[in-house]
mmCIF file of all heavy atoms in Angstrom:
data_model
loop_
_atom_site.group_PDB
_atom_site.id
_atom_site.type_symbol
_atom_site.label_atom_id
_atom_site.label_comp_id
_atom_site.label_asym_id
_atom_site.label_seq_id
_atom_site.Cartn_x
_atom_site.Cartn_y
_atom_site.Cartn_z
ATOM 1 N N PHE G 3 1.133 5.494 0.207
ATOM 2 C CA PHE G 3 0.434 6.675 0.707
ATOM 3 C C PHE G 3 0.884 7.898 -0.069
ATOM 4 O O PHE G 3 2.050 8.020 -0.448
ATOM 5 C CB PHE G 3 0.740 6.897 2.188
ATOM 6 C CG PHE G 3 0.172 5.835 3.086
ATOM 7 C CD1 PHE G 3 0.964 4.799 3.564
ATOM 8 C CD2 PHE G 3 -1.163 5.871 3.462
ATOM 9 C CE1 PHE G 3 0.438 3.831 4.392
ATOM 10 C CE2 PHE G 3 -1.690 4.900 4.300
ATOM 11 C CZ PHE G 3 -0.900 3.877 4.756
ATOM 12 N N LEU G 10 -0.961 13.922 7.135
ATOM 13 C CA LEU G 10 -2.080 13.747 8.057
ATOM 14 C C LEU G 10 -1.745 12.735 9.152
ATOM 15 O O LEU G 10 -2.070 12.940 10.325
ATOM 16 C CB LEU G 10 -3.339 13.309 7.298
ATOM 17 C CG LEU G 10 -4.007 14.377 6.434
ATOM 18 C CD1 LEU G 10 -5.175 13.765 5.650
ATOM 19 C CD2 LEU G 10 -4.501 15.527 7.285
ATOM 20 N N LEU G 11 -1.085 11.641 8.763
ATOM 21 C CA LEU G 11 -0.686 10.637 9.757
ATOM 22 C C LEU G 11 0.298 11.228 10.771
ATOM 23 O O LEU G 11 0.191 10.986 11.972
ATOM 24 C CB LEU G 11 -0.054 9.423 9.069
ATOM 25 C CG LEU G 11 -1.032 8.471 8.385
ATOM 26 C CD1 LEU G 11 -0.262 7.413 7.597
ATOM 27 C CD2 LEU G 11 -1.938 7.807 9.405
#
Side-chain angles (χ1 to χ4, degrees):
F3 292 100
L10 288 175
L11 284 173

